[in-house]
């Protein structure tokens, strides 16, 4: 079971000084900043996923500058991400896709099959995903339907025409993609995408893709679904899977369901959730092997746009905000050295929070839990050993991204633990061997 980490140009600056909040004057981001696979040894994933939509700036997902786009095309994916500089015993696979969520509102995908294949060939990807179109609705198969007939949809009249059209577009583009892949004798492994609005329509997609010759099929559109719904889809597509077909899951991180996924033919998946939760989630900011913790909010007076707007509007006194910001950092550093108590640190944090976020929920209980347990103290990862308490501070990109990298590391080890548990279970070893 391989974990691919999707690239969003998330790097950290090794020259950043957390005490002075300064960087090296000679720092160049592309040259000096580090990717997650360069921070940890070995890397906490087995592959990198790069979306054309992010590289090209399609929709709201663009992250690459013009210079970066040219460099990626010129150097290729392995040199661009410095994968060729990793330990010779480590090889990360590379996968390219279109980033369908970025153009979900469009009537048709904005990319042609030829332009996508050009992108994969130019960059030298190991895997290339066919052009697809997200289907933004999902419903379980009605129990009254003929479960063995994939091509009977009893409620077809209730399905919007554009949904049926998206399904057809994805398969039409997959057919063209496979034809061009063969014609151009591409070196990358072609990956077809199955989209659907019911488990049965997903299964129909898989049947069609297998007929086209795809042996690697990605299941798309699963991100917003509940675990029960994802398992229903996978159970259905497993029923039509040929022995050599392998499934990839886009955006799914249910490590507790690894056994089921393997049984259904899944051999790889990708997700940014561990990274994003570090600074996008309200509560699950810091991962440990058995739970998550809330990060301690200490916003930068000079670097936080929302706080700056409040100060300019006269809603927050700037001098008081700066005083409490510095007091919070000072007491937390003393706390990390066992020179301040939980209550001392908590009182200052909450005083600052009541100033900068008076309308948000009070974090007293969860902050006390974080401070009492000190989870960063017992984490062996490179990030926590280097940063100490700074890793648990919700403050600026350098701390937040490093906490995200830590989360990826913990998530990866959770996955490994689940796989080891399956390896030690005689009844699961057969399924593991077959999937690998």
């Amino acid at each position: 079971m391989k974990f691919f980490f999707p690239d969003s140009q998330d790097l950290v600056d090794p020259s950043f000084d957390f005490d002075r909040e300064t960087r090296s004057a000679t720092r160049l981001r592309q040259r000096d900043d580090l990717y997650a696979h360069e921070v940890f040894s070995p890397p906490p994933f087995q592959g990198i996923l790069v979306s054309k939509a992010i590289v090209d700036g399609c929709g709201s997902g663009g992250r690459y500058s013009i210079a970066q786009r040219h460099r990626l095309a010129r150097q290729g994916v392995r040199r661009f991400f410095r994968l060729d500089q990793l330990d010779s015993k480590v090889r990360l696979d590379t996968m390219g896709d279109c980033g369908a969520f970025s153009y979900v509102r469009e009537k048709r995908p904005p990319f042609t099959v030829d332009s996508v294949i050009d992108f994969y060939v130019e960059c030298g990807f190991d895997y290339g995903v066919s052009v697809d179109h997200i289907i933004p609705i999902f419903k379980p198969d009605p129990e009254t339907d003929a479960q063995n007939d994939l091509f009977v949809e009893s409620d077809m009249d209730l399905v919007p025409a554009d949904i049926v059209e998206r399904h057809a577009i994805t398969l039409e583009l997959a057919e063209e993609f496979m034809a061009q892949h063969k014609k151009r004798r591409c070196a990358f492994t072609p990956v077809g995408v199955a989209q659907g609005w019911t488990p049965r329509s997903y299964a129909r997609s898989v049947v069609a893709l297998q007929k086209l010759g795809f042996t690697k099929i990605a299941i798309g559109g699963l991100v917003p679904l509940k675990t029960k719904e994802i398992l229903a889809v996978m159970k259905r597509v497993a029923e039509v899977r040929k022995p050599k077909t392998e499934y990839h899951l886009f955006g799914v991180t249910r490590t507790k369901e690894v056994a089921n996924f393997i049984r259904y033919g899944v051999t790889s998946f990708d997700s940014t959730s561990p990274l994003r939760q570090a600074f996008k989630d309200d509560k699950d900011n810091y991962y440990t092997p058995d739970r998550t913790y809330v990060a301690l909010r200490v916003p930068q007076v000079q670097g936080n746009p929302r706080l700056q707007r409040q100060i300019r509007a006269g809603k927050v006194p700037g001098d008081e905000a700066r005083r409490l910001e510095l007091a919070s950092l000072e007491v937390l550093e003393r706390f990390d050295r066992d020179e301040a108590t939980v209550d001392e640190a908590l009182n200052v944090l909450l005083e600052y929070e009541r100033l900068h976020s008076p309308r948000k929920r009070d974090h007293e209980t969860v902050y006390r839990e974080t401070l009492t347990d000190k989870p960063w103290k017992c984490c062996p990862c490179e990030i926590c050993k280097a940063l100490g308490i700074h890793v648990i501070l919700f403050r600026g990109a350098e701390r937040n991204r490093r906490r995200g990298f830590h989360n990826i590391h913990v998530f990866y080890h959770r996955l490994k633990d689940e796989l080891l548990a399956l390896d030690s279970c005689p009844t699961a070893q057969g399924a593991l061997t077959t999937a690998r």
Side-chain angles (χ1 to χ4, degrees), residues 20-59:
R20 297 181 177 84
E21 308 268 352
T22 59
R23 305 176 188 275
S24 167
T26 60
R27 170 240 188 183
L28 290 176
R29 187 172 186 269
Q30 179 64 32
R31 181 192 67 192
D32 300 320
D33 287 11
L34 301 177
Y35 293 99
H37 57 267
E38 296 178 298
V39 172
F40 299 102
S41 181
F45 38 81
Q46 292 104 341
I48 293 178
L49 173 68
V50 181
S51 293
K52 183 172 171 59
I54 288 179
V55 173
D56 288 1
C58 174

Side-chain angles (χ1 to χ4, degrees), residues 72-90:
L72 175 62
R74 183 175 68 253
Q75 296 180 341
V77 65
R78 304 203 69 81
R79 186 178 169 196
F80 181 87
F81 286 98
R82 300 190 286 269
L83 302 181
D84 54 347
Q85 297 179 28
L86 296 176
D87 187 303
S88 60
K89 296 180 180 179
V90 175

